[in-house]
Each structure stands twice: as C-alpha cells, then as structure tokens.
Amino acid sequence: MKSKQQIIRVRDIMKTTFVTIDRTATVSDALLAMKREKTAVLVVKPRDEDDEYGLLTAGDIAREVMALDRAPERVNVYEVMTKPVISLPPQMDIRYCARLFAHYHLIRAPVIEDRKVIGMVSPAGLVLDGLCALALNQNLPDQ
C-alpha cells in the first residue's frame, strides 16, 4: 500500500527575519540597511492599505543605480524597487513554491498572511530546508 506523500508547507521553511524599508527612503539608506543587517533584499512597506509590498534587491541597485551612474543619495527606493511582487501563502506546498521560483526566476518571495509579511523564502531555503526534509522523511522506514 502506497503511503501518502508528506507535504512540507512554505510556513515550515520560511525565514521569519527580514528587513523592511520605507518606499521614500534613498538608495543610500537602503544600502546602509543592507550592510548593517547583512542582507541583499529589503521588503518595501506599502504606502497605505490599498498599496502592495515591494522588494528591493542588491541586483536592482546594481542595474538601476550603479550601471546607470546615478547617485544613490538622490534616488528613492520606489524608483528602483520591484512592485508588485509575487508573494506566497504560508500554507502552500513547497513543490508549488519551487515551480513559481523556477517559472518566474525568483530570488526571494515574501510570505503574506492577512496582508502582512510574515516571512521570506529563497531558493536556498527551498532546497536546504524543504527538499532535504522531504528526502530524509522518504528514506525513513514505515512505522
């Protein structure tokens, strides 16, 4: 008899520590926050309840500020961030999450519940936490 495959949810592998920034902050402010918090991704807070979250990555800054020789102290986060972002519900099966990452070439995705970011998922988290857990559990003898 075939046993039911274990489901690992986004909630099980997401990182609950992430850094937020205001959309009107400068890219210089964002760089300082990234350096201080040792992260390459910031969650950009929505302007109001009708707005959506954004993401600012080091790649966005490299493409939109450095490569174009713009002054980071004169560029606001909202000018270079990605918005809207593809977000994940905490109850999603990580296999579907992995498909989203592959299809849309994502490097991070916020986990949103009740219109609030509660965590972040990365490809490394999917593989090292999610796939590893699936592999370990599939190799365990039936009980």
Side-chain angles (χ1 to χ4, degrees), residues 10 54 81:
V10 165
M81 69 182 177

Side-chain angles (χ1 to χ4, degrees), residues 44-107:
V44 183
K45 297 182 271 190
R47 164 181 50 221
D48 56 39
E49 65 275 352
D50 295 319
D51 200 12
E52 298 298 326
Y53 286 96
L55 285 183
L56 179 67
T57 68
D60 294 330
I61 295 170
R63 266 188 318 279
E64 302 293 331
V65 180
M66 274 182 81
L68 301 177
D69 200 26
R70 297 170 75 187
E73 65 278 2
R74 297 180 53 100
V75 178
N76 293 97
V77 166
Y78 69 83
E79 296 177 68
V80 296
M81 69 182 177
T82 300
K83 182 176 167 182
V85 295
I86 295 174
S87 61
L88 309 168
Q91 69 275 10
M92 179 183 275
D93 183 322
I94 63 164
R95 287 175 273 249
Y96 294 120
C97 179
R99 290 178 193 172
L100 276 174
F101 270 72
H103 184 77
Y104 292 104
H105 308 286
L106 301 177
I107 59 162

Side-chain angles (χ1 to χ4, degrees), residues 1-2 38-39 48 57 62 86 88 97-98 110 113 121 129 140:
M1 180 173 169
K2 187 175 179 181
K38 296 178 175 57
T39 186
D48 56 39
T57 68
I86 295 174
L88 309 168
C97 179
E113 185 173 56
V121 175
D129 298 329
L140 295 176

